[in-house]
Every structure is written in C-alpha cells, then in structure tokens.
Amino acid sequence: MAGVDGINAAETVLIAQRKYADLKHRQSQIGLTIPEAFVHGIRHIGYRSNVDAIAELIDNSIQAYSQRVDLVFGYDGSVSLKKPSQPAVVDDGHGMAPEMLRLAMMWGGTHRENDRAGLGRYGYGLPSSAVSIGRRFTIVSKVAGGQLFAVTLDLDALDAGKYRNSAGDVALPSARRAGLPAFINEYLRRTFPEGWHSGTIVVIEKLDRLDWATTLGMRINLVRHFGVTYHKLAKETAIHVDGHRVLPIDPLFLTPECEFFLLDEDRAQSLDRIDIKVRNPAAPGQEGQISLRYAWLPPSFGAIDKTRDAVGLNANARFPILKDYHGLIFSRNGRIIDVQSRVPWTVFINNDRYIRVEVEFSASLDEMFGVTTTKQQVSVSTAVWHALREAGLPKAIEQLRGKVRSAKLERRSVGGQRQDPTGLEEIFKRLVQVPSHRPVRTVPLLTRDGVSLDLRPSDRHPLFNGTASKIETSRALRALVGQIINRASSSGGRRRSDYECLLEDWSDVLTRTGITDAPQILGSTDE
C-alpha cells in the first residue's frame, strides 16, 4: 500500500477517520429524521436481492485494501446446516478506529464522502445492506496493533426506545471491547494461521429477509454473481463464499484468465474498444472516461452439443451468464452495477444474447449516469446517450447482430438445425407411442380431479402405470430435473430458492428411502 511522507495508505485512512469522527462529535446533533421511522423505511431502499446488499459490504472491504474477503456462515447452535442464521462478511483490510465504528453504523457516516476514486462515496452501504437482510447487525473491527472493538444496532431495541438518552434523543452506544462468535474465531484460526492482524467483520442476525432457504442456494447465487460483478478487481482482492473461491467471469468472455473462457473450442470475437472523454456539467472540473467493449459469440457458444441449440439439458455453464447479463452491461470503476435490455434506439431480444456490449465509466460521471446510493442501477442521461450514439454504439450493435446472423446461416448450411431430443415434450411423445398396428393415441401426463380440480399424475400414462421401460423412465426423470434446474437458473430471489430447496428435499427423501444415487441424478445434465 503506497503512501506519502513515510505514511502508508492504511495509516492515511485511519488519520482521516479520526479527523472525521472528531468533527462530527463536535458538531451539534440536530436531527433531520425520526430515527425509528427512517430505519424502517430504509429497509425498503430497493435492493434487487440479498446479492446486491451483500455486495455493498464486499465493496467496503475492497476499498479498505483487503487482500481477502469471506462470507462466512454461522448457524447459532442449530443442528441443521441447511440455512445460516448469522452471515458475516470478514476482511483483512486496514480496519476502523474505535472512534469511527459508531459513525460507520450511521447512514451517511463516511470519511470518504464524495470520494470518486473507489467504489463508495455516500456512506449508506453498510447499514442499508445489513438492515435489508436482518434486524440486528454488529460491526467488529481491529486496526494493526490494536484491540477488537464492536458496536451493535438492534432494531427491536430501537423500537423499544432503548437507544434514547435522558434528553429523548436516539444515540448509538460507543464502541466497546469485544469478543467474536465461535464460528468466526474458528474461521480466523483456519484462514490466518499466523494471526488476523487487522480488518472488519459485519455480522447480521435476526434474519427476516433472506432470499434463500438454504446455504447451497446462497452459495450458488453469490459465487456466480460476484464472479461477474468483481471480475476486474479479482487480482487485488480474493473473494470467498462459504469457503469457495469466487472465480472471475468476464460477461463478454474476452479475458483468457477468467472462468469459462476455455470451457470448449468456442471463443468470443471482439471489436475494437472505444474510449470517450466526457466532462460532467454537474461536477465542475470533473472529467471522466467512458469505454465501450464489444464482442460477438458463435451461436453454439452456450451449447454442449454444438450441433444443437442451447435448450434444456444442452445448455452449458456459460448459458446462465448469457441470460443474466443480456443487454448493455454498465460497469463503474471496474465494478459491474447494472444491465439494461432497453436503450433509446433498440431493444435486446433473446437472439441478442450472443452480442455483448459493456459500457465502463468512471465515478466522476456518476451524476450523468444517475448512479443510485445502492450502486445497483443507472439512469442514463440524454447527454450520455448522445455521446454513445456519436461514438458509434448503435452501428456497432447492428454490426454485431449481422455477424451473429451470418454465423447462424453458415451453421445451418453446414449441419442444419436439429431439435433438442432431451426436452420433456419429445420424451413424453415417444413414451406414449404404441406399435404401428394400433391407433396412435396421446395419453395425458397429468389430469385434474373431478371434484376438487386439483392437478395430479394420470394413472393411464406409461410413466405412472408401470409400462414405461427403465430407460424411458430414466430419460423422463432426467429431463424433468433439468427443466426444474433451468427454471431455477432463470428465476431470482425466493423463487429460485424454492426450486433449489425442492430438489434438495427430494434428494434427501430418495436417499432415506434407499436410492443412494439421487445426488448424481440431480447433478447430471446430460441425456
């Protein structure tokens, strides 16, 4: 960490923290809000999911010069390890001075106010993200050579008036010497065998807004999302979720060091990068840069069998990225914050998954991009759209579309289009076929009860009356599981968690009843 005048970067930050804390303590505390009402309202600040909320804590850790950030799960003595009760973000950054801890818990409490060099500038991220997930959170921090200090905000205690002083004002408690929960002590012992010298830990408890019902669901979603969001920052800070390293994923698939670049023989094809200098009229003296990255992908890029479309079980590991990051990808200071499929001159449709466009901009242009305090979406100004048009973005998109169309025509002329034989509909059609000397009749897979109209399996269907062969039944079962997995991949938040929980519970039932290869069935994506 470089510095000036013999003071390294971490020491410079701690000096700034102490100056900021001293200033705030000397200023009069005339409130602008009703604290309880404000906190309840801020819980609805609008994070798209827990992923975006936790990303705020990751941002803080990266900006604190952390070399490693971990999302660690505690279970508070529960015998089940399926669902965590205490997620904690742990880093090895410079930490916070005790005087700064209480301010860091307050909305707007940051010594980096309006700083445009890093990822944050508002001081809203830590408390907003924490209360969007649970009703209690604790910040524990330690500076190099110092002791552990902590401060806690409990919304139930706030509602009960326990934070009000004798004058009737809400006052958060000062930071106090603290210990750590057992699961964090164990994590630190394993991860830092030579000692954890400095850093910050945010523990969230009383979880009432957790999107996922299981640890597995959280891990799958967070690893993939963080892999894309922080792929440009992965060399500086290693991110881990529940012990699993987050590997960088370039959503344009142009970076050889990133995940899925070498998945198979297909490669992304790039167009020339364009850089634009723009002056921000809302911030005098602020000039920033917008960079445009382009790529187009072969039509087989998301498929396992390259002769068939990326449908159902034939979709490879790249396909969820193609679906989730479909449109203009906006990146601020190297951190992806939004994807938009509608722009003033076009709309990205399904076929456009194979064209990739990234708009990278510096934080000095935040006002022009309408960056929100949660850093999860942009509202692009007319001036920026004009600058992008002048830089040739509409023409580049059409050029990319033309290249994909040409590649599809060439593919058809060489091998022709083949239908995916692993879809449920095709398998069920084959299952109800009878010898040719009999009339062909379609037997419905499902039927409705005549009284309650509840949907149930049809006893007449070969899958349920015992006449289907083992191979046919196995194919149908795999196809069904594949459909559920694909539906989970295309869903978000609690719906995605419901699908994953359904599969996990089903796997447990099969295992308990003697079918021990259920996990292999669930994990398979081939026919």
Side-chain angles (χ1 to χ4, degrees):
M1 291 180 284
V4 294
D5 298 330
I7 302 176
N8 67 30
E11 291 171 338
T12 302
V13 171
L14 294 175
I15 291 171
Q17 287 180 1
R18 290 188 170 98
K19 287 182 177 178
Y20 174 79
D22 181 62
L23 174 64
K24 291 301 180 185
H25 289 153
R26 286 188 285 107
Q27 289 177 341
S28 61
Q29 300 297 313
I30 300 175
L32 293 175
T33 62
I34 305 299
E36 294 86 349
F38 172 80
V39 174
H40 286 298
I42 210 72
R43 298 194 81 200
H44 301 277
I45 196 169
Y47 288 107
R48 287 177 298 222
S49 71
N50 294 160
V51 172
D52 298 283
I54 295 171
E56 294 266 35
L57 304 178
I58 303 289
D59 290 350
N60 290 342
S61 295
I62 292 174
Q63 197 147 351
Y65 308 119
S66 301
Q67 295 182 3
R68 176 174 178 139
V69 186
D70 277 75
L71 178 60
V72 185
F73 297 136
Y75 297 88
D76 196 23
S78 172
V79 295
S80 172
L81 300 183
K82 279 193 171 184
K83 183 176 182 179
S85 58
Q86 297 166 290
V89 174
V90 185
D91 70 47
D92 62 352
H94 54 59
M96 283 187 273
E99 304 94 313
M100 185 68 195
L101 270 180
R102 181 167 59 170
L103 290 165
M105 184 165 278
M106 299 169 61
W107 280 265
T110 177
H111 65 286
R112 293 192 290 256
E113 186 174 355
N114 206 33
D115 174 19
R116 306 200 181 214
L119 300 180
R121 49 178 277 237
Y122 296 107
Y124 271 56
L126 194 160
S128 293
S129 61
V131 300
S132 75
I133 299 172
R135 295 186 58 81
R136 173 187 170 99
F137 72 99
T138 300
I139 309 174
V140 185
S141 199
K142 174 184 175 182
V143 301
Q147 301 293 322
L148 277 175
F149 283 85
V151 64
T152 296
L153 176 62
D154 188 314
L155 300 192
D156 294 325
L158 178 68
D159 290 344
K162 294 182 179 179
Y163 289 105
R164 291 195 176 272
N165 57 25
S166 58
D169 299 321
V170 170
L172 292 174
S174 299
R176 298 180 181 276
R177 292 281 300 275
L180 291 172
F183 77 97
I184 294 179
N185 273 324
E186 175 60 21
Y187 154 79
L188 294 177
R189 184 189 64 78
R190 292 195 318 267
T191 309
F192 302 97
E194 297 181 2
W196 182 65
H197 302 297
S198 65
T200 298
I201 301 168
V202 179
V203 185
I204 307 174
E205 300 171 288
K206 295 186 178 181
L207 308 180
D208 62 344
R209 295 190 174 186
L210 201 61
D211 286 342
W212 300 286
T214 66
T215 296
L216 176 63
M218 289 189 70
R219 185 197 309 143
I220 290 172
N221 284 274
L222 292 168
V223 166
R224 185 167 67 202
H225 184 90
F226 290 161
V228 177
T229 300
Y230 298 106
H231 75 275
K232 296 181 182 179
L233 305 173
K235 290 182 179 179
E236 287 75 31
T237 305
I239 302 172
H240 293 75
V241 177
D242 193 31
H244 292 253
R245 174 74 180 266
V246 173
L247 299 176
I249 303 171
D250 179 0
L252 273 65
F253 301 97
L254 291 173
T255 309
E257 298 81 16
C258 285
E259 186 81 340
F260 306 137
F261 182 85
L262 296 174
L263 183 67
D264 53 41
E265 68 276 11
D266 279 343
R267 296 289 180 272
Q269 307 296 318
S270 65
L271 299 186
D272 291 339
R273 171 181 170 142
I274 303 293
D275 294 323
I276 317 165
K277 291 289 185 182
V278 179
R279 188 170 296 279
N280 184 356
Q286 292 276 2
E287 184 180 66
Q289 178 170 294
I290 302 174
S291 298
L292 300 175
R293 283 203 309 154
Y294 301 104
W296 68 274
L297 312 175
S300 57
F301 198 78
I304 297 172
D305 179 350
K306 302 301 182 181
T307 65
R308 297 187 284 115
D309 288 339
V311 177
L313 301 183
N314 196 45
N316 64 23
R318 290 167 170 160
F319 193 74
I321 310 301
L322 301 183
K323 289 180 64 177
D324 293 346
Y325 297 86
H326 173 49
L328 287 192
I329 301 168
F330 291 90
S331 178
R332 173 187 180 270
N333 281 9
R335 190 257 211 213
I336 289 179
I337 63 173
D338 197 10
V339 182
Q340 294 189 1
S341 59
R342 287 181 176 271
V343 299
W345 54 82
T346 192
V347 175
F348 287 79
I349 59 176
N350 283 348
N351 285 338
D352 291 330
R353 287 174 182 155
Y354 298 97
I355 71 173
R356 318 299 287 172
V357 184
E358 181 190 64
V359 180
E360 165 77 37
F361 64 96
S362 52
S364 55
L365 303 178
D366 275 356
E367 288 82 2
M368 301 184 74
F369 279 87
V371 176
T372 62
T373 57
T374 59
K375 302 188 296 294
Q376 62 175 342
Q377 68 182 53
V378 296
S379 179
V380 182
S381 67
T382 302
V384 169
W385 287 128
H386 178 73
L388 295 177
R389 188 187 293 272
E390 289 293 309
L393 178 57
K395 293 180 180 178
I397 290 174
E398 290 308 313
Q399 183 181 355
L400 293 169
R401 283 172 170 158
K403 289 182 176 295
V404 172
R405 281 195 297 267
S406 297
K408 284 188 174 183
L409 289 173
E410 181 180 354
R411 181 183 177 212
R412 289 192 182 112
S413 65
V414 172
Q417 288 281 70
R418 292 175 54 192
Q419 297 299 315
D420 177 16
T422 63
L424 279 174
E425 184 178 349
E426 288 299 314
I427 288 176
F428 293 154
K429 283 180 180 178
R430 293 201 300 268
L431 286 175
V432 300
Q433 287 180 354
V434 295
S436 58
H437 63 275
R438 296 180 182 177
V440 176
R441 292 185 299 169
T442 300
V443 178
L445 178 69
L446 303 172
T447 186
R448 291 191 181 274
D449 186 276
V451 178
S452 65
L453 297 182
D454 291 337
L455 199 63
R456 61 181 178 82
S458 171
D459 294 333
R460 297 171 54 215
H461 195 278
L463 278 177
F464 305 122
N465 65 17
T467 61
S469 70
K470 291 182 179 180
I471 292 177
E472 291 170 332
T473 303
S474 174
R475 286 177 176 173
L477 178 61
R478 288 179 182 274
L480 176 60
V481 173
Q483 292 277 346
I484 295 173
I485 291 173
N486 289 334
R487 183 65 60 88
S489 299
S490 62
S491 301
R494 289 183 172 86
R495 287 190 62 197
R496 182 173 191 145
S497 175
D498 288 343
Y499 284 120
E500 292 164 349
C501 191
L502 170 67
L503 290 176
E504 280 193 329
D505 290 344
W506 180 52
S507 177
D508 288 345
V509 170
L510 294 182
T511 302
R512 289 197 300 270
T513 55
I515 304 179
T516 55
D517 61 346
Q520 283 78 12
I521 292 175
L522 290 179
S524 175
T525 56
D526 56 2
E527 186 180 3

